[in-house]
Amino acid sequence: MRKTQVGIVGAGPAGLFLAHLLRKAGVEVVVLEARTREYLETSPHRIRAGVLEWGTREMVARAGVGDRMVQEGLGHGGIYLAFEGQLLHLDFHALAGRGIWVYGQQYLVTDLIRHHLEAGGEILFSHEVVGVEDLEEAPTLVYRTPDGRLERLRCEFAVGADGSHSLARKSIPGIQVHQKTYPYAWLGILAQTRPAAEELIYASHPRGFALFSMRSPSLARNYLQVAPEERLEAWPEERIWEELSLRLSGVAEVQPGPILEKSLTPMRSLVVEPMQHGRFFLVGDAAHVVPPTGAKGMNLAFCDVAVLYRALVAFYKEGEASLLARYTQEALRHVWQAELFSYWMTTLLHTAADPFEDRLREAKLRHLGESLHLQRFLAENYVGLHTSGRYTHYIPQSA
Ligand code: PHB
């Protein structure tokens, strides 16, 4: 049977970043990924939020894998909130002392794969993990090879980084799942046109929420709140542009253009406890899911990785196991803070079916428009002052 020090299930942002860091620290790592490299790098089904908190950007840059992110990403000093016909700019530098960075998740995954492979790291694509055994002594990943054989990888530690539909999560005995679903979904488009504004616009409108984001100065990424059972076929291009335009009317201009990709994203919140068992650990979406409104998903995954990386290095370099034992406890602090913020942003901006709740929501928005206190709460959370901002120094500055 094959052996390694750390086995990682999943080559998403969390698994790849951890693999890169551990390899650089001299720890032997193997990543097992069910999909092909091409799918991860180019599938339109994987176009995810492109907002990096300043701390996440800093971690990536410190780790020496941020060359393209720095060159091609866009620095933003804030966001806009649109409601009741007004456009409120939240200046993050003034409110929280930091900005954010817009760079697509898929681009970052592509960069991480390239860096890891070029440095001699190992990623086994098209190798699907189908079970995890012996979590307490020597976690063993059972996987299917591309030609259909079942094999085992025996690890000193293993990490489940296999996303929101995680199999790894299910292998932890007695795990608790805390979750909530929301009565709406997002219809997202990627379109070849100039974005509605130079920064993101979060628009709350009586017809529903809309978000105006971007991937580049000529590539817009927009979303519409729709019913959870909505079908994509019900939304031809004209209807999408008309609705985006209505939800932004009086505030900014929407410039229609060819739609390159359409998708539906369900909205849910989920946290599992504990995030570890024996010598097995969960990171990223495998352990928690946030609705996309706060753009926290990937940032939260990088926070987990920073905490777990520091704990694993303390074990391998100093024989110190106490940080590993406290992994869940430390991670749940940033997890619940991001869950709170994502829930807050989501329920603040989406129309509710209950008219009473909806009036309360409008009152909250008006209050936010007038209260520097609330604006600062939003800004500090959005830039991740107390989440990724706390962990940047866990990542060693690479030469
Ligand atoms: C995106 O650009 O895809 C995006 C931006 C901000 C969000 C969610 C998604 O809150």
Side-chain angles (χ1 to χ4, degrees):
M1 190 189 324
R2 210 183 146 180
K3 292 186 179 161
T4 190
Q5 288 184 306
V6 178
I8 298 178
V9 188
L16 289 167
F17 192 54
L18 182 62
H20 168 80
L21 292 169
L22 289 173
R23 189 202 54 75
K24 282 216 326 192
V27 177
E28 190 194 1
V29 198
V30 177
V31 181
L32 295 167
E33 165 58 53
R35 317 271 199 178
T36 64
R37 178 177 180 178
E38 193 198 0
Y39 179 87
L40 299 185
E41 294 185 347
T42 60
S43 167
H45 301 295
R46 298 184 53 84
I47 301 178
R48 304 271 165 81
V51 175
L52 308 193
E53 296 170 356
W54 72 275
T56 305
R57 177 188 186 277
E58 182 69 13
M59 284 190 225
V60 172
R62 285 173 76 102
V65 287
D67 42 355
R68 189 162 74 117
M69 170 193 76
V70 168
Q71 248 167 38
E72 296 180 14
L74 308 168
H76 286 194
I79 59 168
Y80 292 98
L81 291 186
F83 59 97
E84 295 183 344
Q86 55 168 319
L87 194 60
L88 174 69
H89 185 241
L90 298 179
D91 179 341
F92 288 166
H93 287 291
L95 292 163
R98 306 285 180 179
I100 49 165
W101 199 255
V102 176
Y103 185 61
Q105 172 169 327
Q106 210 168 22
Y107 306 154
L108 191 56
V109 163
T110 302
D111 300 345
L112 287 167
I113 290 174
R114 179 173 55 82
H115 276 281
H116 194 62
L117 295 179
E118 278 175 9
E122 191 172 11
I123 307 171
L124 299 174
F125 295 103
S126 308
H127 283 62
E128 185 188 6
V129 171
V130 294
V132 190
E133 299 170 349
D134 208 3
L135 272 55
E136 278 154 43
E137 294 298 317
T140 301
L141 304 176
V142 185
Y143 60 94
R144 203 187 315 278
T145 64
D147 55 14
R149 278 172 299 126
L150 274 190
E151 298 197 347
R152 284 177 162 72
L153 176 67
R154 194 170 168 82
C155 314
E156 292 173 1
F157 294 97
V159 179
D162 54 345
S164 58
H165 300 291
S166 176
L167 168 113
R169 180 195 297 155
K170 298 186 184 81
S171 58
I172 294 191
I175 200 164
Q176 280 187 64
V177 180
H178 308 289
Q179 64 179 322
K180 168 168 183 63
T181 56
Y182 300 83
Y184 28 77
W186 276 13
L187 188 158
I189 60 159
L190 185 70
Q192 210 154 24
T193 180
R194 124 182 104 66
E198 76 289 359
E199 290 178 346
L200 277 65
I201 306 178
Y202 287 81
S204 179
H205 190 275
R207 299 179 66 88
F209 170 71
L211 171 62
F212 300 83
S213 180
M214 73 261 325
R215 287 294 174 273
S216 77
S218 57
L219 213 48
R221 181 80 172 141
N222 300 334
Y223 300 91
L224 288 168
Q225 173 187 351
V226 296
E229 66 279 2
E230 197 62 87
R231 293 170 311 112
L232 278 179
E233 304 83 76
W235 289 86
E237 298 209 1
E238 316 78 69
R239 182 173 177 210
I240 294 176
W241 288 116
E242 187 182 72
E243 193 62 33
L244 284 166
S245 185
L246 280 171
R247 294 188 192 183
L248 202 58
S249 57
V251 173
E253 282 287 315
V254 179
Q255 181 75 54
I259 295 182
L260 309 176
E261 203 271 321
K262 279 198 264 183
S263 61
L264 280 171
T265 312
M267 308 277 276
R268 64 175 176 146
S269 297
L270 178 149
V271 180
V272 302
E273 269 182 73
M275 290 168 60
Q276 67 196 97
H277 184 85
R279 294 175 150 249
F280 187 60
F281 299 85
L282 299 175
V283 293
D285 283 4
H288 39 68
V289 178
V290 286
T293 325
K296 287 288 154 240
M298 184 168 66
N299 295 292
L300 208 44
F302 277 72
C303 290
D304 295 349
V305 169
V307 172
L308 184 58
Y309 164 71
R310 189 176 75 137
L312 283 168
V313 167
F315 179 84
Y316 277 113
K317 304 292 168 204
E318 291 139 40
E320 171 61 57
S322 66
L323 291 179
L324 281 172
R326 286 210 306 274
Y327 170 67
T328 295
Q329 196 187 336
E330 186 171 3
L332 284 178
R333 269 183 69 133
H334 62 245
V335 169
W336 279 111
Q337 191 178 334
E339 290 287 347
L340 168 63
F341 177 65
S342 303
Y343 174 88
W344 183 85
M345 278 283 273
T346 301
T347 52
L348 175 72
L349 295 166
H350 291 75
T351 49
D354 175 350
F356 185 86
E357 298 233 346
D358 221 44
R359 296 300 174 275
L360 291 178
R361 196 181 64 75
E362 288 165 7
K364 264 197 236 173
L365 268 171
R366 258 175 252 129
H367 188 193
L368 177 72
E370 288 163 0
S371 162
L372 214 52
H373 232 73
L374 284 177
Q375 293 179 16
R376 192 165 277 146
F377 168 82
L378 191 158
E380 286 184 0
N381 276 282
Y382 203 101
V383 305
L385 211 54
H386 308 290
T387 49
S388 62
R390 299 202 350 247
Y391 299 130
T392 51
H393 68 284
Y394 284 20
I395 308 300
Q397 178 77 52
S398 66

